[in-house]
Amino acid sequence: MGAAIEILRDEWGIAHVRAESAPDAFFGQGFACAADRLWQMEHDRRRASGRWSEVVGPIALARDTFLRRLGLARSAERDLAALAPETRAMLEAYAAGVNAWLASGAPLPAEYGITGLAAEPWQPWHSLAVYKLRHAFMGPLYRKLWRGALVRERGRELLAAIFGREESLVDPPGAELEAGAGALAALPDADGASNHWALAGSRTASGKPLVAGDPHRTLELPNVYWQSHLACPRFDAVGLAFAGVPGFPHFGHNAHVAWSITHGMADDQDLYVESLGAARVRRETVALRGAAPVEIEIAETPRGPVVLADERHGTGIAVRWTALADLDPTFDCFLPMLEARDAAELDRAMRAWVTPCNNLISADVDGAIRYRFRGRVPLRAAANRWTPVPGGDAAFAWQGWVPFDDMPALENPASGLLVAANDRPDLPGAPYLGVDFANPSRARRIRARLESLRSATAGDMAAIHGDDLSLVAPLFVRALDGAEPASERAREALAELRGWDFRMGLESRAAALYMAFREQLTLLAGEALGLSGASLGALGDAAPAPERLALVFAALPGLLRARFVPKSPRSPFDWKSLCEQAFARALGFLESRLGPKPAEWRWGRLHRTFSWHPLAVDWEEARRVRLPASVPMAGDGDTVLCGASVPGFGLRATLLSVARYVFDLGDWERSGWAVPHGVSGDPASPHFADQLLAWAEQRLLPMRYDWRAIEAHAQSRLRLTRRER
């Protein structure tokens, strides 16, 4: 017996799947996703399983070792067995759709030919493993390593200055990790930020809510998010998801409710310094392309897997993460989200959510707007939040979870607006959630824009996406008060900076001056204060250099605001002279990059996107794969229009808005979206980069939802039959 499934693709190649049952819809989603993103799915499932070395050889051994120790694949298989029957049916149908595409005879992506790799069947647990991989490095793992090294080597004074308050700390125990430092150094940087907001109908032209936002991640090729639309008798939903993951767990809407998330920045990972002698140890063999297999040790303690180990000293770091510490039923929330008939029902569906911790904003066609902090946050000692702690001490053990009903939540605020941008939830009685929240400047700017609106439209929401005013830049410009530049050119540059309107526009010369100065000050202050570099010792070296510099970059505004000076500086320390030196170096940097004529220095010339192919990092032949055009980007990491840079890498735009969306609950057809590049990962496809220009210009494309409009704009139509087993 078969079931009919129809896949219509619109003018941007986005798949609209129409089916006779929910399993059929997920089958169609899996089929369409494989057609667009199979290599991305292959890459992610192999990394999650610690099998990337089979493709590229010994260069990936350190990464594979780390990820095998972390145990994403093992936990995914364990979680699958405990999920609800309907959830497992969803995952099985999705996997069957992927495998149906593999069996269709369609040409495999070019990367399979480059590597000579055969495509393996997709299994239901692969979706869980890919999902865990996409969130594993969004927790505080790097930051706790860095803070631990900071306290050990520099004392508590500096850490207290960065966070603006004294906190409960224990002296972090020693952990000699020279042998394991390379594992983290080879992993991708932690990423993940976002903006989102909602307006109640009292503030909109239609009288119905508007929801908008944009997630911020590292720009990948293809983009991390994939657009699609699923319809069946039980639900009709459109949204964005990770390739390889069914449903729309982060961004989407059905006929009744719209939802979106930002990263909650929660403290959901603890690090424990362990004696390896007390750990359970097993061995696994890692196959390496072009080399003999390597046997690795995988150790686990009652706290969690030991991810960094040094057998020579008998110590290691174990990670306890909510996604691994217990069964994770997060996927049980996916179907109820798709079927929710109002925002309250969507909110109730979040009780089983574990990871990641998110700020969830939702709205319904009846006019409700809601905020919910969703996810699992452990209860434990205050010291755990800052640094690694002793593994064998019961004082630092987890004591359960923050109850769901104690999590921050808000319904229909009197102001008629909700905003979250990775900042600390500011609600009375909120429990401890974390310490690593983002600077509130983006949230403040969005709120200021929203408060002026009374008859807002979807266009007004889209305009906020492009806001490039920095609320942080004035702090750094004021830091140059009293500076005495030595040259006429430097004096003219400083005068321009002092007269700047703090907008990070493409044509702004002052924006280029500011960011070059801020980066040079980060490098100089990080070294002068002992916040970066090998001087932090082995524990600090375990976090990759770009990540350490990013932490210094984030810490600098607080230190600069307080004019912090260490009581026992390693060398004479003076902010005025440090700023003067950084400004001089910034001018030299701009001249080296943009030429000797300051009139030609523009932020958009310096701050451009760079799309890297993940295979090209490890496989030279893949560097010939076609890349999308590089485009100039306004904004920076503190503006609503996100265009963050990694310190030390030339100020190119690295962490960006990887999707933008507006959901209009007054008329779904007025909703819009755009992603970098396009829906397809195939360089030969017309949809490989057909959204790039709209995305770069902060324009939204129609988010087709009404099936009459979809029919009218369909560029292709495919009918499938899912054979029942």
Side-chain angles (χ1 to χ4, degrees):
M1 182 178 177
I5 301 161
E6 192 172 34
I7 302 177
L8 284 70
R9 289 190 181 265
D10 63 23
E11 58 266 55
W12 297 284
I14 296 168
H16 299 263
V17 179
R18 188 161 49 185
E20 297 175 12
S21 70
D24 293 344
F26 293 121
F27 179 95
Q29 189 182 28
F31 188 98
C33 192
D36 289 340
R37 299 288 187 93
L38 184 67
W39 178 256
Q40 185 178 40
M41 296 163 66
E42 182 78 62
H43 180 233
D44 281 359
R45 71 168 164 181
R46 284 182 175 270
R47 288 191 300 146
S49 300
R51 296 180 57 206
W52 190 234
S53 299
E54 296 175 15
V55 181
V56 299
I59 193 172
L61 178 60
R63 278 171 278 171
D64 279 352
T65 299
F66 180 92
L67 287 163
R68 288 199 185 207
R69 287 173 172 169
L70 193 59
L72 303 183
R74 295 193 306 278
S75 69
E77 292 186 85
R78 177 198 66 187
D79 291 346
L80 176 66
L83 291 173
E86 270 203 322
T87 308
R88 293 199 302 274
M90 171 186 73
L91 291 160
E92 289 164 0
Y94 186 93
V98 175
N99 295 331
W101 187 87
L102 286 173
S104 70
L108 291 175
E111 292 88 348
Y112 285 95
I114 291 172
T115 60
L117 194 68
E120 298 177 0
W122 193 262
Q123 298 183 44
W125 67 266
H126 289 156
S127 295
L128 280 73
V130 164
Y131 184 84
K132 288 176 187 282
L133 176 73
R134 285 293 180 179
H135 298 113
F137 303 104
M138 293 176 69
L141 187 152
Y142 291 132
R143 292 183 287 271
K144 288 187 177 181
L145 284 173
W146 181 69
R147 290 197 291 259
L150 198 63
V151 174
R152 284 180 56 203
E153 303 295 330
R154 305 287 175 257
R156 303 182 185 188
E157 173 197 18
L158 192 52
L159 189 63
I162 290 170
F163 288 90
R165 59 191 189 275
E166 293 288 343
E167 291 287 349
S168 173
L169 282 173
V170 296
D171 292 328
E176 301 300 331
L177 294 171
E178 289 92 340
L184 273 181
L187 291 169
D189 299 339
D191 64 6
S194 300
N195 307 310
H196 67 161
W197 58 93
L199 279 181
S202 59
R203 288 179 170 269
T204 71
S206 71
K208 297 289 186 179
L210 292 164
V211 177
D214 57 320
H216 308 158
R217 282 178 172 258
T218 303
L219 184 62
E220 299 180 28
L221 187 67
N223 178 52
V224 61
Y225 286 113
W226 179 73
Q227 301 149 297
S228 64
H229 179 190
L230 307 180
C232 65
R234 289 175 60 178
F235 56 80
D236 185 349
V238 63
L240 301 110
F242 299 128
V245 175
F248 307 114
H250 292 346
F251 316 98
H253 77 76
N254 61 22
H256 313 284
V257 189
W259 59 89
S260 74
I261 60 100
T262 58
H263 184 20
M265 310 299 289
D267 185 3
D268 59 358
Q269 295 172 333
D270 275 353
L271 306 183
Y272 293 92
V273 178
E274 304 277 6
S275 168
L276 296 180
R280 300 188 305 274
V281 178
R282 57 188 174 80
R283 289 172 172 78
E284 287 189 7
T285 300
V286 181
L288 304 176
R289 185 186 188 114
V294 173
E295 189 176 75
I296 63 171
E297 284 193 347
I298 297 177
E300 188 164 0
T301 76
R303 268 68 58 191
V306 177
V307 294
L308 298 174
D310 192 328
E311 284 81 6
R312 185 164 61 94
H313 294 91
T315 58
I317 294 283
V319 174
R320 189 161 181 81
W321 178 29
T322 54
L324 306 177
D326 205 345
L327 289 172
D328 180 355
T330 296
F331 273 57
D332 281 339
C333 302
F334 289 14
L335 265 170
M337 290 181 72
L338 296 174
E339 297 178 337
R341 299 189 67 82
D342 56 39
E345 187 175 335
L346 183 88
D347 188 81
R348 291 192 295 272
M350 296 300 103
R351 284 188 175 273
W353 195 277
V354 173
T355 189
C357 289
N358 298 134
N359 300 291
L360 173 70
I361 282 179
S362 60
D364 61 40
V365 294
D366 294 326
I369 61 172
R370 298 180 73 109
Y371 165 82
R372 154 73 57 191
F373 194 94
R374 72 178 183 185
R376 185 176 287 174
V377 177
L379 297 166
R380 73 286 218 197
N384 291 44
R385 65 189 64 168
W386 296 104
T387 68
V389 293
D393 192 332
F396 305 106
W398 287 7
Q399 305 294 331
W401 318 109
V402 175
F404 178 84
D405 292 325
D406 290 350
M407 287 292 196
L410 187 62
E411 179 182 8
N412 297 326
S415 65
L417 58 91
L418 294 169
V419 180
N422 318 118
D423 51 320
R424 184 187 300 274
D426 184 19
L427 290 173
Y432 168 73
L433 300 173
V435 298
D436 294 305
F437 298 101
N439 183 300
S441 61
R442 284 183 284 116
R444 289 173 181 166
R445 181 59 183 157
I446 294 167
R447 185 172 293 276
R449 292 282 301 254
L450 294 176
E451 285 174 344
S452 67
L453 296 175
R454 289 296 180 271
S455 297
T457 65
D460 294 322
M461 300 297 94
I464 294 175
H465 284 142
D467 192 281
D468 61 7
L469 180 68
S470 173
L471 301 185
V472 176
L475 171 68
F476 286 86
V477 174
R478 288 195 301 270
L480 287 163
D481 287 350
E484 301 172 359
S487 68
E488 181 63 26
R489 184 182 71 166
R491 287 191 288 272
E492 290 176 355
L494 183 55
E496 181 167 2
L497 197 57
R498 286 171 173 160
W500 178 37
D501 62 3
F502 306 116
R503 291 195 173 275
M504 303 293 297
L506 293 177
E507 298 302 314
S508 174
R509 185 169 67 151
L513 287 166
Y514 157 63
M515 282 303 296
F517 165 63
R518 184 172 176 180
E519 172 157 296
Q520 294 303 318
L521 187 61
T522 296
L523 299 174
L524 289 171
E527 180 60 32
L529 292 171
L531 288 167
S532 59
S535 60
L536 276 183
L539 188 59
D541 287 345
E547 180 64 21
R548 289 202 306 275
L549 285 173
L551 292 168
V552 178
F553 188 88
L556 196 56
L559 294 172
L560 190 58
R561 193 175 289 109
R563 282 295 195 272
F564 171 78
V565 176
K567 294 176 182 175
S568 302
R570 302 160 64 210
S571 57
F573 186 91
D574 174 68
W575 280 106
K576 179 176 178 292
S577 61
L578 204 66
C579 288
E580 288 177 339
Q581 185 182 353
F583 192 68
R585 286 176 47 165
L587 295 177
F589 167 80
L590 291 172
E591 183 172 346
S592 70
R593 292 294 304 274
L594 301 179
K597 299 178 180 179
E600 298 178 357
W601 297 352
R602 295 289 184 270
W603 181 228
R605 288 187 60 203
L606 191 66
H607 193 236
R608 300 181 64 89
T609 62
F610 175 75
S611 301
W612 55 274
H613 192 294
L615 182 59
V617 174
D618 302 317
W619 195 281
E620 187 171 352
E621 188 176 347
R623 294 169 193 167
R624 296 197 293 271
V625 172
R626 175 192 164 203
L627 298 176
S630 172
V631 294
M633 286 297 300
D636 71 352
D638 295 315
T639 58
V640 178
L641 176 58
C642 181
S645 306
V646 176
F649 282 79
L651 295 180
R652 79 183 173 202
T654 303
L655 185 69
L656 300 160
S657 302
V658 292
R660 298 191 186 96
Y661 55 86
V662 174
F663 302 132
D664 188 332
L665 284 87
D667 181 352
W668 295 122
E669 294 308 296
R670 289 196 295 257
S671 301
W673 55 3
V675 299
H677 313 143
V679 75
S680 175
D682 178 4
S685 168
H687 305 298
F688 176 64
D690 59 339
Q691 297 184 49
L692 177 61
L693 184 59
W695 171 82
E697 295 175 350
Q698 298 96 56
R699 291 187 287 110
L700 299 183
L701 306 172
M703 186 187 299
R704 306 277 181 218
Y705 185 67
D706 186 289
W707 281 95
R708 292 167 297 181
I710 294 166
E711 291 271 2
H713 291 87
Q715 305 296 299
S716 68
R717 188 186 303 261
L718 176 68
R719 290 182 67 85
L720 304 173
T721 300
R722 184 172 74 96
R723 297 294 176 186
E724 302 291 350
R725 289 183 295 175

